Amino acid sequence: MSPRSLRAWSWVHTWSGLISTIFLLLLCITGLPLIFHHEIGHLLGTEVEAPAMAEDTPKTSVDRMMAAANARHPDRIVQYAIPDEDDDNIWFFTLTPTPAPTEDFRSVAVDARTADVLAQPRFDEGFMWVMLKLHVDLFAGLAGKLFLGFMGLLMLVAIVSGVVLYAPFMRRLRFGEVRRQRSTRLKWLDLHNLLGVVTLVWAFVVGGTGMINTWADLLIKYWQYSEVSTLLAPYQGQPVTPVAERASLQRAYDAAREHVPGTTLSFVAFPGTAFSSPHHFTFFLRGNTPLTARLLKPVLVDARTAEVTAAPSMPWYLTALLVSQPLHFGDYGGRPMQILWALLDIVTIVVLGSGLYLWFERRRVRRPATADLPADSEPRPALARSTEAMP
């Protein structure tokens, strides 16, 4: 590699890393408890559990469960129904004061066998909610998500440029060598390079999937306007289906399952919500294998007649989004993968912190040396500075 190219890659690596490091440290720190959100929920007592019953206890109707949830908040409207992913004996109903998307919601957990209300958990407060909001959007909504997505892009640039720089640097060192006999800065430089290479693939995967996740709102809106809108042509000019005129939710659910057999319900979006249309219950169904369980199949059911209107396939960009979400938090491989993700997260924190230390230390060391130079002296070329750590 030519000296000019080396200087260019060094500049890209330095500034892409510096600009994004503070925010990436925040994401790593907040992401650590999110890896174990279920376990932390159990410790904090915020997880809802259904009472023990015989395994063959039959389920009650979805309409009865919805009525029980609505009775707790009669001034609100049910917007989403979500079976618990780990225990299908628990359903969560989300209620808001208006049919339009809003942050003012209440959740009610209902026993799917008895229609008894189990709890009214708050998902918009507490330690884990703060960690999630900081990790997802910095409490800044879509603008915060897109900003963090840009930080993720800078992280990927820093990783690629770091790999390019690492190859010529390691020609004079054995892989994994840490020069403990040299200065503290050189020891941290070797550790920074070594840990960066060890976590290379993981950091690229988590950074890439995190960046994709920040585009979720935009991708969903694009899908609605580009594909779902064409399915709603027969409904143009019709008013939004009033709550009083909606068909039985159980009938609509049965129609959706019959249309796509061999699937499990992920969640139901009611008419007027961000994931549905003004005229449909939209059932998002998933498969029963490790891979298909992450892929959703939307089924639009007419809210008046409980008849299936359409079951469009998810486009490739939403499929990529759905696959990337559990991969980002290590949700594919159970407890072993969670532990591995946590360890790699901690190592990445060390890499980011050491990168900041090395930058500040280099500026501290260089400043007095530069100040002592005569006015007509020519500073050392960037190539010499970039290779000063080599033996």
Side-chain angles (χ1 to χ4, degrees):
M1 183 183 298
S2 68
R4 188 173 182 177
S5 297
L6 187 62
R7 286 195 296 269
W9 279 109
S10 179
W11 185 91
V12 169
H13 181 69
T14 297
W15 290 105
S16 61
L18 280 176
I19 293 171
S20 61
T21 289
I22 297 298
F23 298 98
L24 294 176
L25 276 172
L26 174 66
L27 293 176
C28 287
I29 293 170
T30 56
L32 196 56
L34 293 175
I35 296 173
F36 301 101
H37 62 281
H38 283 304
E39 292 79 2
I40 294 175
H42 283 294
L43 290 175
L44 297 178
T46 58
E47 291 288 302
V48 180
E49 297 184 0
M53 293 185 184
E55 292 186 5
D56 58 351
T57 302
K59 302 287 196 298
T60 188
S61 72
V62 181
D63 292 319
R64 189 180 168 203
M65 288 190 287
M66 183 175 66
N70 222 154
R72 294 299 177 101
H73 299 280
D75 57 330
R76 293 172 177 261
I77 301 170
V78 176
Q79 301 282 26
Y80 295 97
I82 309 170
D84 188 277
E85 189 172 325
D86 299 318
D87 185 355
D88 63 356
N89 292 320
I90 303 172
W91 280 52
F92 294 91
F93 292 85
T94 303
L95 304 96
T96 66
T98 63
T102 174
E103 295 293 328
D104 180 12
F105 66 90
R106 295 290 182 271
S107 296
V108 180
V110 180
D111 192 314
R113 301 157 298 183
T114 63
D116 292 335
V117 173
L118 299 174
Q120 298 188 63
R122 295 299 300 264
F123 296 110
D124 57 351
E125 61 184 22
F127 170 75
M128 294 304 295
W129 176 73
V130 172
M131 293 295 101
L132 180 63
K133 290 293 289 182
L134 286 173
H135 192 85
V136 171
D137 62 10
L138 298 175
F139 289 92
L142 179 60
K145 291 180 181 180
L146 295 179
F147 176 79
L148 290 178
F150 180 64
M151 293 300 104
L153 176 61
L154 289 181
M155 175 188 178
L156 300 182
V157 172
I159 290 173
V160 172
S161 58
V163 171
V164 173
L165 292 171
Y166 186 71
F169 175 79
M170 288 307 297
R171 287 173 185 168
R172 300 188 181 185
L173 290 176
R174 294 188 300 273
F175 178 79
E177 181 179 353
V178 177
R179 292 167 288 179
R180 296 181 176 85
Q181 71 279 9
R182 303 289 290 274
S183 67
T184 301
R185 179 177 174 273
L186 284 181
K187 286 187 289 187
W188 274 108
L189 175 64
D190 291 343
L191 281 172
H192 177 81
N193 291 335
L194 173 61
L195 296 177
V197 169
V198 169
T199 59
L200 173 68
V201 175
W202 179 85
F204 199 89
V205 168
V206 172
T209 54
M211 183 177 65
I212 293 172
N213 288 338
T214 64
W215 304 336
D217 293 350
L218 297 178
L219 293 177
I220 291 170
K221 289 183 182 297
Y222 176 75
W223 173 64
Q224 289 175 325
Y225 286 119
S226 64
E227 299 190 32
V228 176
S229 59
T230 61
L231 303 175
L232 303 179
Y235 295 88
Q236 287 187 355
Q238 296 185 20
V240 177
T241 304
V243 176
E245 298 181 15
R246 293 177 185 173
S248 162
L249 181 60
Q250 183 65 55
R251 282 178 51 206
Y253 182 28
D254 292 339
R257 287 192 300 179
E258 183 179 351
H259 191 80
V260 188
T263 55
T264 303
L265 179 66
S266 180
F267 70 95
V268 187
F270 283 61
T273 58
F275 291 89
S276 189
S277 84
H279 315 285
H280 294 86
F281 296 115
T282 302
F283 296 85
F284 287 85
L285 306 175
R286 55 186 174 87
N288 296 313
T289 67
L291 177 61
T292 59
R294 305 297 179 179
L295 305 179
L296 301 182
K297 175 73 172 180
V299 180
L300 280 68
V301 180
D302 191 294
R304 293 179 185 268
T305 65
E307 295 179 355
V308 174
T309 299
S313 298
M314 282 289 195
W316 66 267
Y317 50 87
L318 286 186
T319 298
L321 174 65
L322 292 170
V323 172
S324 70
Q325 286 178 336
L327 185 59
H328 184 71
F329 288 107
D331 286 346
Y332 275 119
R335 185 64 55 80
M337 192 168 181
Q338 286 179 302
I339 295 173
L340 175 62
W341 247 232
L343 292 175
L344 292 170
D345 187 286
I346 294 171
V347 173
T348 302
I349 292 175
V350 175
V351 173
L352 294 170
S354 61
L356 280 178
Y357 163 76
L358 291 169
W359 186 77
F360 282 114
E361 184 67 12
R362 188 173 69 175
R363 288 176 62 86
R364 184 187 68 80
V365 171
R366 184 183 300 166
R367 189 176 295 114
T370 305
D372 293 339
L373 288 174
D376 58 349
S377 295
E378 183 179 355
R380 289 184 304 161
L383 177 60
R385 296 197 302 270
S386 65
T387 57
E388 64 181 354
M390 292 186 181

